[in-house]
Amino acid sequence: MTHEQKDAIAGVLISQKFTKGQNIVNEGDPASSFYIIKEGSVSVLKGGKEIRKMYKGDSFGEQALYYNTTRGATVKALDNVICLALGRDTITKILGDQVQIVTFRNVQKWALEKSEPLSKLTKIQVEKIVDSMKISNYKAGDIVCKKGTPCSAKLIIAIEGNVKKVNHIDCILRI
């Protein structure tokens, strides 16, 4: 984000308080705000099952805002939480297409956190990896890497869908 965008956002953020156990957003509800955790920690639940925890400085809600969909998960306060909130119209006006970039960066971070060996990285290490990542889109059945052919990527992370090894020759994306 540019300094002007950051300043514009800082001027319109609304501070909201949530008590321990309170749902901040509910899975399936319409999205209306983007949140940044200022204090406390939250649990992210999908279908009632915890999929991750988030802490001070983490943000959520941008994906549902960008795609104008419903909430994909419930976010519940694990203790007393203060969030800075920004409404859909305001964030779209300030960030425009930057909302998509913020969304992709968060999805990349979550993918790294889900990986057993990569989940042990520090936040700075994760930021450096995300800064150097390139997003590529594949369709079901596309060959991602072929045996005997140089692969430009040293690490491939499937953000959505599955990658499988076929006949010990190719990695093929399947959804």
Side-chain angles (χ1 to χ4, degrees):
M1 284 190 282
T2 67
H3 291 293
E4 292 81 16
Q5 288 171 326
K6 288 178 184 177
D7 289 343
I9 288 172
V12 294
L13 287 170
I14 298 167
S15 182
Q16 294 184 332
K17 295 180 181 181
F18 301 93
T19 57
K20 181 179 179 176
Q22 185 178 2
N23 285 355
I24 299 169
V25 299
N26 294 297
E27 185 174 359
D29 283 355
S32 60
S33 298
F34 163 74
Y35 297 88
I36 301 166
I37 302 170
K38 183 176 179 183
E39 290 180 23
S41 58
V42 302
S43 176
V44 181
L45 307 153
K46 187 148 181 84
K49 181 180 175 188
E50 183 176 79
I51 56 172
R52 73 185 303 245
K53 289 183 180 172
M54 299 177 81
Y55 306 93
K56 179 179 177 177
D58 289 333
S59 61
F60 59 92
E62 69 280 355
Q63 190 170 14
L65 288 175
Y66 180 75
Y67 295 111
N68 198 21
T69 62
T70 58
R71 298 285 183 197
T74 295
V75 178
K76 185 178 215 168
L78 292 175
D79 42 34
N80 290 333
V81 173
I82 298 176
C83 288
L84 300 174
L86 190 61
R88 172 187 284 125
D89 294 339
T90 305
I91 196 167
T92 302
K93 182 179 176 183
I94 294 170
L95 294 181
D97 64 357
Q98 292 290 313
V99 175
Q100 185 177 28
I101 293 167
V102 172
T103 300
F104 284 142
R105 286 187 62 84
N106 281 342
V107 170
Q108 290 168 315
K109 289 177 192 177
W110 296 335
L112 291 172
E113 290 171 3
K114 287 180 185 177
S115 166
E116 180 68 32
L118 299 176
S119 66
K120 294 171 180 51
L121 296 172
T122 66
K123 282 192 175 198
I124 292 171
Q125 290 170 322
V126 169
E127 286 292 331
K128 286 184 178 185
I129 290 170
V130 168
D131 286 344
S132 66
M133 289 176 79
K134 178 184 142 202
I135 295 176
S136 299
N137 294 305
Y138 297 93
K139 296 178 191 155
D142 284 355
I143 296 175
V144 178
C145 297
K146 187 169 185 147
K147 186 176 181 180
T149 305
C151 185
S152 61
K154 295 194 179 359
L155 173 67
I156 297 173
I157 299 172
I159 294 175
E160 189 174 309
N162 298 301
V163 178
K164 72 175 184 174
K165 195 172 187 178
V166 179
N167 298 330
H168 305 289
I169 298 172
D170 305 326
C171 289
I172 298 179
L173 184 68
R174 62 184 173 93
I175 297 178

